[in-house]
Amino acid sequence: MTVGMGEAKKTRRRAKGHSMQPTAMTAAEAHSSGDKGVLVHKGDSGTGNEAADKADDDVTIKEYGYKPAYFGQWQMDASDWGMLGVLLLLALAVRCFRLAEPAQVVFDEVHFGKFAGRYLNGTYFYDLHPPLAKLMFAAAGHLSGYDGVFDFKTIGLDYVAAGVPYVGMRLLPAVLGALTVPMAYATLRSCGYATDTAALAAALVCVENGLVTQSRLILLDSPLVFFSAATLTCWALWWTYQDRAFSRGWWAWLLSTGLAMGCAASCKWVGLFLFPAIGLSTIKDLWDKIADRQLSPVRWMLHFAARALALLVVPAATYVFWFWVHFAVLRRTGDDAAMISPEFQTSLIGGPQVKTDRDVFYGSEIRMRTTNARSGFLHSHMHLWQHEKGSGQQQVTIYGYADPNNLWIVEPAFNTTVDTSGGPVPVTSGSVLRLRHRATGKYLHSHNHRPAMAASDDQKFELAGYGFANFSGDSNDNFRLEILHGDAEGADKHLQAIESKFRLIHDNLGCAVYNSRKKLPKWAFGQTEANCMRSCHPRMSTWHIEHARFPNASQPMRKTGYRRPGLWAKLLEYNRLMADSNENLTGDHPFAARPQHWPWLRRGTAYWGGHGRLIYQLGNPLVWWASLAAVVVFVNVRLLLFVLAKRRICPQLGGSRAKYLSSAGFFSIAWACHYLPFFLMGRELFLHHYFPALWMAIIVLACSVDLATCALPRPVRTVAYLSTLLAALYAFHRFSYITYARLWSKDACLNARWLSSWDFDCEHALGGVRATDPPPASTAATAAIAASEKPPPNPLLPAKPAVVSDAPNNATIQPVFVTPEFVSSADVVDGSRMADVADAKAHDEL
C-alpha cells in the first residue's frame, strides 16, 4: 500500500565536496520515487569565496513524516449503505435464479454432498481439502432437513426422486457468492475510489458467469472465493484506520483479516496464497514506519506484534480450530479409515483395538505393516508372478486388510542357528533373519528378476515366496534388520511390536523391502506391489509389527498396543496425507487445464448435460480478457513510471497516480500470488482454480477504467462506464444458457463458440443427438436411476458416433461416465480403490 508523507523541516550541514543536482524535487516527485525527504539547497559548487561556500553548505532538508494515503478518510454514509443493499439484492437474484435446476447431482457434488452426509452421521472420511467448506455444507444440509442417507453416488442422480433438500444446500454457496459483490464495492471505496468505480467493480463481479456457475452448486470454490474476498476487504477497511492505530475499529478489521485468512485456508489450500499478498503489504508498511521519527522503537514493536498476532497466530488458530471440529464430528470408523494410521484409527468408534506381545523373538509369528504409506500388510498367497520378466514364483504383495495370509514366522538366517536353551532369543537390530510365510511355508525371497510394475528399472528387484518340501532355503532368503528408531525404551535395539520402526535390507542385493504404492493387475487381484529397491527413501520402506505372538510361551509376555494420538498428532498426520494426495493427484481428466490457459479463457469445464440443456463452466469472456489486460497494463505503466522517475519526470496521471499505484499495485500483486504458484504444481488443475485471482483482477480492471476516464468530462465518463457494464451484461446473457442450464437450440449453442477451443457439447442442446424432451420434475425412471449403481448417460463428453433414428431426439447413445476432478483418496495414495481391495479380498485364499 502506498503511503504519503507529512512535512517537517530540519536544517543540516552538507559536507564539503559533496555535489548535488541543481534541480530540487517536489514533494510529489519524492513521494512517487520513494524518497523519504526533499533536499533544498543554496548552491551546488564552490564559488571561490570561502564565506559564500560556507553559507552554501547550510542546506534545508524537508522530511516527510509517515501518514497513510487513500486509506484514512472514507466513512460509509447512507448512500453507501443503500448501494450495498441494492448490489446484494441484485447479486442474490443473479445467483439464486433457477437454483433448483438441474435437479440432479452435478460434477463434484458427487463428493462434497456425500461428505456433508458423512458429517451428519459422524462416519469418518478422507478428503484432500481442509474441512471448513464441507462443514458449512453439512450445516446447511442439516438446517434444510438432509438426513445424510443419500450418497450422491454418481452424476445425474435425481434429487427430487430421492427427497434430498438440495436447494437449501446450494443456497449456501449462492449467498456466499452474492456477498462477494458488495465486498468489491466496499473494497474500492476503502481505496479512495468514487461510488461509480466501486459500483462498476461490484457489477462486473455480479455478472461474471464462471463465478455465478460455481456459486450455484455444492462445490468448495464459492466459500473459498468468499473468504479470500473477505480477507482483502477487511484489509482495505483496516487501512482506513491508519490514523487511529490501536483503536477498536483498527483492531476489529485487523483481527477480521486474520480470521478470514484462516477460514480461506481452511476451505482449500489455495487460501494460503493470501499470506504472501498480505505479508508483502505488511512488510512494506512496517518498513515505511521506520522513517517516522515520531514513532518510538517501542511503539514500532507494538505495531509489529499486533500484526504478528492478527495475521499469523489468528489464522493458524482458526485453521487448527476447524480441524478440531472435523475430528470431533467424525467419531465412527468408515471405509476411508484405511487411509490413516492405525494409531489414528484407534481414536474412532469401531476402530482397531490392538493388544499384542511386545517383544519379538526368533520363532514369533508376526504381521508387518507399512508405517508411512498406509497401504497395508506384507502379504503372500498361492498365486504366481505372471509378468514377462518375473520368476514365476509365489506372489508377495501388500494387502489392505488383516488376514491369515499376512502372517510370517521369524527364523534365523540360512545355515544359522540360535541357542534357545536359555529361553526365547530376542531379535536385535543388525541381525540377519528370514521370514517364513505361515500359510504356505515359502520364505520371503528376492533375486535378480525385475518386479511386475518396474520391469526396466535395474534398481528394483522382485519379491517372491520361494521354497518347497525338504528344501531348507538359500542365502537369497536372508534380510538384515535395520531398526531406524524406537518409540519405547529399548525398541531401537531389540525388535518390539508397535514400537520399533525398521527396514529389511536384502543381504545379497542390498535392496530394501519397499512399498511402490502401485496397483497390480487383475491376476494379482489389484493389490499393491511390494518389491526390493536399492537407494530408496526410508519413508516408503519403513515397517512396523502390528501383531506378534510367541507360541508355547512358558511365561506371560509383556503386551503393547497403539497409543491414541492427540489433536496435534492427528493434525500433522492428516495434513501430511493431504500434501501427498495433492502431489499425486495426476491424471488425464478431459477437462483439466493448465494455468497458462486460464486468464484468456481457452476452455472451460463440462459439469452436466441432458434434456436440451447443459452446464459448462465458462467465464464471462469480456470480463476475463479485460481484467487480464488491466493487470498487464498496470505492470507496463509501473515500469514506465519507474524509468521516467530516473529522469526526474513525474507524470501525475490526471491526479490519480498515487491512488492507482497504491490500489491497482496491491491487487495486481495479490493476483500474481494467487496465479503464478500454480505453474509450479504438477497436479491436475482446472479452470476454477483461477477464481480467487479473477476477483482480484476485476478490482484492477475497475481501477484501470477509473484511471482511463479520470480526465474526461463527467457525461463522457458516465457513458464509458455504462458501455463497459453493457458489454459485460451482453456477454453474461449470451452465456447464461450454460450457466443456468437453460434450454437452447443447437444452432444458438454453435454460434456461442467464440473460440474454437470452447468444447461445450452442443449435441445436448435441442436438435442435438443427445437432447431429449424435458422430463417432469420426478419420474419413476429417474427414481430408478437414483436407486441403481449404474452411471447415468454421459453428461460431460462431446458426442461420439451413435446410431440415430429419423427423429434426432430419439438417439441411442452409449453411456460414458467421466470422473470429476476429485480422485478417490485410495487411488491417490494407495494406487487402488477400496472397492478393488475388497474385490481382491474376496478372491484371496485364506
Side-chain angles (χ1 to χ4, degrees):
M1 302 289 188
T2 303
V3 297
M5 312 302 263
E7 295 187 10
K9 293 186 178 181
K10 185 175 181 181
T11 300
R12 294 180 180 171
R13 290 186 60 85
R14 176 168 57 89
K16 290 179 182 274
H18 179 75
S19 65
M20 303 182 66
Q21 294 294 331
T23 304
M25 294 174 63
T26 65
E29 289 170 337
H31 169 71
S32 63
S33 64
D35 290 347
K36 299 302 184 260
V38 176
L39 297 178
V40 180
H41 50 86
K42 298 178 181 179
D44 298 304
S45 62
T47 64
N49 185 324
E50 184 176 353
D53 288 344
K54 183 176 181 181
D56 285 344
D57 285 335
D58 292 330
V59 298
T60 301
I61 301 177
K62 290 185 178 180
E63 294 181 346
Y64 297 89
Y66 180 89
K67 186 180 72 175
Y70 302 109
F71 292 89
Q73 303 301 324
W74 180 61
Q75 295 292 331
M76 289 184 61
D77 55 23
S79 62
D80 287 317
W81 284 111
M83 183 62 73
L84 287 173
V86 170
L87 289 171
L88 179 58
L89 290 176
L90 288 174
L92 287 171
V94 168
R95 280 155 175 77
C96 295
F97 176 65
R98 292 174 57 86
L99 192 61
E101 297 295 334
Q104 296 179 0
V105 177
V106 177
F107 196 59
D108 273 0
E109 288 185 335
V110 164
H111 302 288
F112 306 123
K114 174 183 67 178
F115 294 154
R118 296 286 184 89
Y119 277 122
L120 294 178
N121 56 45
T123 302
Y124 180 84
F125 69 89
Y126 168 75
D127 181 35
L128 50 77
H129 299 297
L132 176 56
K134 298 184 289 289
L135 284 166
M136 296 171 70
F137 285 127
H142 176 70
L143 294 174
S144 303
Y146 173 47
D147 57 8
V149 174
F150 184 74
D151 61 3
F152 295 84
K153 192 167 187 178
T154 58
I155 295 174
L157 291 185
D158 193 296
Y159 284 132
V160 177
V164 180
Y166 68 102
V167 175
M169 298 178 72
R170 286 180 179 174
L171 185 61
L172 171 67
V175 171
L176 295 179
L179 288 171
T180 62
V181 173
M183 284 180 184
Y185 177 88
T187 299
L188 277 177
R189 290 290 282 144
S190 301
C191 294
Y193 284 89
T195 301
D196 54 357
T197 302
L200 176 64
L204 293 177
V205 173
C206 184
V207 298
E208 206 299 294
N209 296 71
L211 293 174
V212 173
T213 301
Q214 203 72 9
S215 63
R216 291 167 41 80
L217 301 169
I218 308 171
L219 303 174
L220 302 187
D221 292 273
S222 185
L224 170 66
V225 174
F226 166 77
F227 286 116
S228 298
T231 298
L232 299 179
T233 301
C234 292
W235 185 244
L237 288 166
W238 173 74
W239 273 86
T240 66
Y241 282 82
Q242 287 302 291
D243 57 346
R244 290 161 284 175
F246 301 104
S247 65
R248 289 183 180 180
W250 187 92
W251 274 111
W253 289 119
L254 184 61
L255 292 172
S256 296
T257 300
L259 180 63
M261 282 173 46
C263 288
S266 300
C267 290
K268 294 180 77 172
W269 275 358
V270 176
L272 294 173
F273 297 153
L274 288 164
F275 285 81
I278 299 297
L280 290 172
S281 178
T282 302
I283 291 171
K284 184 183 185 305
D285 175 43
L286 290 173
W287 178 253
D288 287 340
K289 274 183 166 54
I290 295 177
D292 187 0
R293 296 195 173 189
Q294 298 178 359
L295 192 68
S296 67
V298 173
R299 188 76 169 175
W300 188 92
M301 288 301 300
L302 290 175
H303 277 279
F304 177 86
R307 287 157 176 77
L309 170 67
L311 304 179
L312 293 176
V313 177
V314 169
T318 302
Y319 187 80
V320 172
F321 171 77
W322 289 118
F323 267 101
W324 175 80
V325 175
H326 172 83
F327 296 141
V329 172
L330 300 180
R331 304 179 306 277
R332 294 195 290 271
T333 189
D335 292 340
D336 288 357
M339 298 296 302
I340 56 178
S341 67
E343 291 89 346
F344 198 142
Q345 293 181 46
T346 60
S347 66
L348 303 175
I349 298 174
Q353 304 299 320
V354 174
K355 206 70 174 177
T356 183
D357 291 354
R358 191 192 75 171
D359 299 298
V360 179
F361 305 97
Y362 287 102
S364 289
E365 171 189 283
I366 65 171
R367 181 185 295 122
M368 288 172 47
R369 183 170 194 148
T370 58
T371 297
N372 292 308
R374 317 285 191 258
S375 296
F377 304 90
L378 189 68
H379 177 91
S380 188
H381 44 227
M382 293 184 65
H383 294 274
L384 308 181
W385 287 122
Q386 299 178 19
H387 55 286
E388 181 180 350
K389 296 186 178 181
S391 63
Q393 296 177 11
Q394 184 170 294
Q395 295 174 10
V396 173
T397 64
I398 296 174
Y399 185 50
Y401 294 88
D403 73 17
N405 278 340
N406 301 336
L407 297 176
W408 303 81
I409 309 298
V410 182
E411 295 186 358
F414 175 67
N415 283 339
T416 303
T417 60
V418 295
D419 183 6
T420 59
S421 59
V425 178
V427 180
T428 60
S429 182
S431 300
V432 179
L433 52 82
R434 293 187 295 174
L435 294 178
R436 178 167 55 86
H437 192 239
R438 197 191 72 169
T440 63
K442 305 293 180 69
Y443 284 103
L444 180 67
H445 182 91
S446 190
H447 42 209
N448 194 18
H449 287 268
R450 301 281 81 79
M453 307 306 293
S456 61
D457 192 339
D458 59 4
Q459 296 297 307
K460 296 180 180 179
F461 304 91
E462 180 188 80
L463 277 180
Y466 182 58
F468 46 86
N470 300 320
F471 177 69
S472 59
D474 61 31
S475 62
N476 277 335
D477 303 335
N478 291 346
F479 289 84
R480 185 178 75 257
L481 177 69
E482 180 183 283
I483 299 180
L484 301 177
H485 62 88
D487 297 331
E489 183 179 358
D492 57 339
K493 297 179 181 178
H494 295 84
L495 184 61
Q496 296 182 13
I498 306 295
E499 313 295 351
S500 297
K501 306 300 185 293
F502 61 88
R503 304 171 78 203
L504 291 176
I505 310 297
H506 193 265
D507 204 37
N508 291 337
L509 297 174
C511 56
V513 178
Y514 176 78
N515 172 18
S516 75
R517 298 191 292 181
K518 294 180 180 179
K519 181 180 177 181
L520 289 163
K522 289 185 178 179
W523 49 260
F525 311 108
Q527 297 177 12
T528 302
E529 183 196 47
N531 58 46
C532 197
M533 182 177 177
R534 289 174 178 162
S535 304
C536 63
H537 196 282
R539 181 174 176 274
M540 300 307 299
S541 58
T542 302
W543 301 78
H544 68 273
I545 294 172
E546 183 173 281
H547 163 79
R549 184 180 69 87
F550 187 76
N552 305 318
S554 59
Q555 58 184 2
M557 294 291 177
R558 294 181 293 181
K559 301 294 182 180
T560 189
Y562 289 117
R563 299 182 183 90
R564 289 194 176 188
L567 172 62
W568 291 109
K570 289 182 180 179
L571 183 68
L572 291 174
E573 177 182 335
Y574 199 99
N575 279 265
R576 280 197 298 264
L577 189 55
M578 288 165 57
D580 287 344
S581 299
N582 277 282
E583 181 181 352
N584 290 281
L585 185 57
T586 57
D588 55 353
H589 193 285
F591 292 100
R594 294 304 300 170
Q596 61 267 28
H597 299 146
W598 299 343
W600 58 283
L601 203 61
R602 179 178 179 271
R603 68 190 303 235
T605 309
Y607 276 8
W608 176 91
H611 313 300
R613 301 170 295 161
L614 65 151
I615 296 179
Y616 184 90
Q617 184 198 67
L618 187 74
N620 185 318
L622 298 185
V623 174
W624 282 60
W625 298 334
S627 62
L628 173 62
V631 174
V632 173
V633 166
F634 169 79
V635 173
N636 285 277
V637 167
R638 194 67 190 88
L639 290 174
L640 177 61
L641 292 176
F642 177 78
V643 173
L644 291 176
K646 301 301 289 184
R647 300 183 64 86
R648 296 297 189 267
I649 301 173
C650 186
Q652 292 306 301
L653 304 180
S656 297
R657 174 190 171 110
K659 179 173 64 175
Y660 174 72
L661 295 182
S662 174
S663 53
F666 171 73
F667 286 103
S668 292
I669 291 173
W671 173 87
C673 290
H674 281 77
Y675 174 56
L676 298 180
F678 285 106
F679 285 93
L680 304 177
M681 298 182 187
R683 59 153 288 177
E684 201 168 45
L685 297 169
F686 293 82
L687 183 67
H688 61 251
H689 289 109
Y690 184 67
F691 284 159
L694 175 64
W695 189 91
M696 300 159 199
I698 292 174
I699 300 297
V700 179
L701 173 58
C703 297
S704 301
V705 173
D706 177 85
L707 179 68
T709 60
C710 64
L712 297 177
R714 185 69 180 180
V716 179
R717 175 183 167 97
T718 301
V719 170
Y721 274 54
L722 290 177
S723 299
T724 303
L725 180 57
L726 289 175
L729 283 171
Y730 165 76
F732 173 75
H733 172 73
R734 187 72 180 270
F735 297 99
S736 64
Y737 294 91
I738 56 178
T739 299
Y740 294 113
R742 296 171 59 193
L743 283 171
W744 66 343
S745 67
K746 181 177 178 180
D747 290 339
C749 177
L750 292 172
N751 290 333
R753 286 182 175 174
W754 292 2
L755 296 181
S756 59
S757 57
W758 293 352
D759 51 357
F760 41 81
D761 185 8
C762 291
E763 297 302 329
H764 280 298
L766 294 177
V769 297
R770 292 176 179 267
T772 61
D773 293 331
S778 178
T779 64
T782 54
I785 292 176
S788 72
E789 295 185 357
K790 297 180 180 180
N794 175 20
L796 299 176
L797 285 180
K800 294 184 178 180
V803 179
V804 184
S805 66
D806 294 338
N809 289 344
N810 295 324
T812 302
I813 304 298
Q814 179 66 33
V816 179
F817 176 66
V818 177
T819 305
E821 173 204 357
F822 180 86
V823 177
S824 167
S825 55
D827 278 336
V828 173
V829 178
D830 296 342
S832 61
R833 293 183 182 272
M834 297 303 297
D836 294 328
V837 177
D839 182 62
K841 184 178 181 181
H843 288 85
D844 201 9
E845 294 188 19
L846 301 179

